[in-house]
Amino acid sequence: MGKNQFKLVIFDCDGVLVDSEPIINRIFAETLTEAGFPITYTEVTQKFIGKSLKTCLEIIEESYNKPLPKNFLELCKEREIVPLQQELQPVSGIIEVLEQITLPKCVASNSSHRHIQLVLKLTGILHQFDGKIYSANDVSRPKPFPDVYLYAAKQMNTNPEDCAVIEDSVPGVQAASAAGMTVFGYAEHGDRTALAEAGAKIVFHDMRQLSQLL
């Protein structure tokens, strides 16, 4: 069997292209705690990794049995901007990898378009994906459902079985597997076994390996 014959590489955004999750989770935990929903950074990371924001908020309201303040999301988004501008870094090795990959590539994320544009712009990666960014907001269901991956492949005129997906969370791996795509699980911080069990064909921990793997 020769080289993988992929025709498209689809990247998740947070945790794969940009190292935004520690910042976002920290602000999320602080803002929740101040709003009267005490939660630690560690709990946020364990409970909510890879889940869409809508799902996270539903879980919180259920477990505390009270509604979040109406403007909670806007508050989080506003409070994220400065720390993201000051601290956000691209995932280590990703800039070189994006230069090396000659295949067509796009982004498929549970985050909003506004967030994806912001973080890719801040890290200098946006030009690599201009006009090829797909959000769970474009489809009816977020990951772990396959909708955003199927949508991305369709927009890029590529069959799902010809797509390679780079994911770092279990719901993301499940989504891409359900879409019939080949998933590469990036586990620099994550749980390698969990990604493999969710359906990642190859689990790797250094982004610099990716161009060889493809």
Side-chain angles (χ1 to χ4, degrees):
M1 188 163 150
K3 199 90 176 103
N4 300 316
Q5 297 300 309
F6 296 118
K7 299 195 171 113
L8 174 66
V9 187
I10 309 180
F11 290 87
D12 173 42
C13 177
D14 298 286
V16 169
L17 296 173
V18 298
D19 202 8
S20 52
E21 282 166 336
I23 302 170
I24 290 168
N25 289 344
R26 187 182 80 220
I27 301 297
F28 194 52
E30 285 171 10
T31 314
L32 273 174
T33 302
E34 282 171 32
F37 297 78
I39 192 165
T40 66
Y41 170 78
T42 315
E43 285 174 308
V44 167
T45 339
Q46 286 163 348
K47 280 186 193 160
F48 301 128
I49 185 144
K51 290 188 168 75
S52 77
L53 203 49
K54 192 166 166 282
T55 310
C56 298
L57 299 179
E58 284 164 9
I59 295 170
I60 288 158
E61 292 190 329
E62 271 171 35
S63 55
Y64 285 95
N65 207 5
K66 60 177 180 177
L68 282 156
K70 288 250 184 299
N71 66 339
F72 180 76
L73 273 188
E74 286 69 44
L75 196 59
C76 282
K77 297 281 156 241
E78 267 164 41
R79 293 177 65 168
E80 280 165 12
I81 292 173
V82 171
L84 284 171
Q85 287 170 337
Q86 291 173 344
E87 301 167 40
L88 186 64
Q89 295 295 322
V91 162
S92 179
I94 192 71
I95 294 198
E96 301 89 87
V97 163
L98 292 174
E99 299 293 335
Q100 290 159 357
I101 292 172
T102 51
L103 290 164
K105 46 191 179 290
C106 67
V107 175
S109 166
N110 263 352
S111 295
S112 67
H113 278 281
R114 194 175 78 172
H115 172 81
I116 303 165
Q117 298 271 350
L118 173 71
V119 296
L120 295 186
K121 202 160 143 192
L122 287 172
T123 47
I125 300 175
L126 188 59
H127 68 283
Q128 293 278 4
F129 296 105
D130 227 10
K132 296 185 290 251
I133 292 171
Y134 308 106
S135 154
N137 297 1
D138 301 330
V139 293
S140 51
R141 303 176 302 177
K143 306 172 190 180
F145 294 102
D147 304 28
V148 69
Y149 280 118
L150 294 171
Y151 177 72
K154 195 173 169 199
Q155 298 300 312
M156 299 290 290
N157 298 314
T158 310
N159 292 325
E161 59 271 23
D162 297 327
C163 299
V165 171
I166 321 306
E167 261 294 350
D168 68 321
S169 75
V170 167
V173 172
Q174 289 167 333
S177 301
M181 301 175 176
T182 304
V183 193
F184 293 80
Y186 174 58
E188 191 197 8
H189 309 298
D191 179 339
R192 304 181 64 147
T193 319
L195 293 181
E197 282 170 0
K201 187 182 123 176
I202 290 174
V203 177
F204 66 109
H205 57 89
D206 182 349
M207 194 50 84
R208 292 172 184 81
Q209 299 169 292
L210 183 61
S211 27
Q212 276 71 56
L213 292 173
L214 292 170

